[in-house]
Amino acid sequence: MARVFSELPALGYVEGENLIIERYSADGHHELMPVWPRRFVTSSPDLIVTGTNPVVIAFKRQPAQ
């Protein structure tokens, strides 16, 4: 993840100016995973980046809006 965020300024994206980054962590509470995709998708983000398989699986199970 750090590499993705470190490359954004080179592409013209500056957090707080033309980019909003929302970071979330379950802190090991995987029971929260089914709830997160619904919350994120309904906020209509332009991009969702994840770094762990449990999160990817939870998003894949979320029905299309």
Side-chain angles (χ1 to χ4, degrees):
M1 284 298 165
R3 184 167 182 188
V4 170
F5 293 122
S6 69
E7 295 295 323
L8 291 173
L11 298 170
Y13 298 104
V14 179
E15 187 172 5
E17 290 182 23
N18 60 359
L19 176 67
I20 298 170
I21 297 176
E22 296 182 10
R23 295 169 179 87
Y24 298 90
S25 173
D27 292 323
H29 298 279
H30 295 286
E31 68 275 8
L32 298 174
M33 295 300 173
V35 177
W36 283 14
R38 189 174 325 111
R39 190 169 108 200
F40 298 148
V41 171
T42 57
S43 70
S44 300
D46 292 321
L47 177 68
I48 297 173
V49 178
T50 180
T52 62
N53 284 337
V55 176
V56 172
I57 291 167
F59 272 90
K60 288 177 92 172
R61 290 182 178 158
Q62 176 66 32
Q65 296 288 322

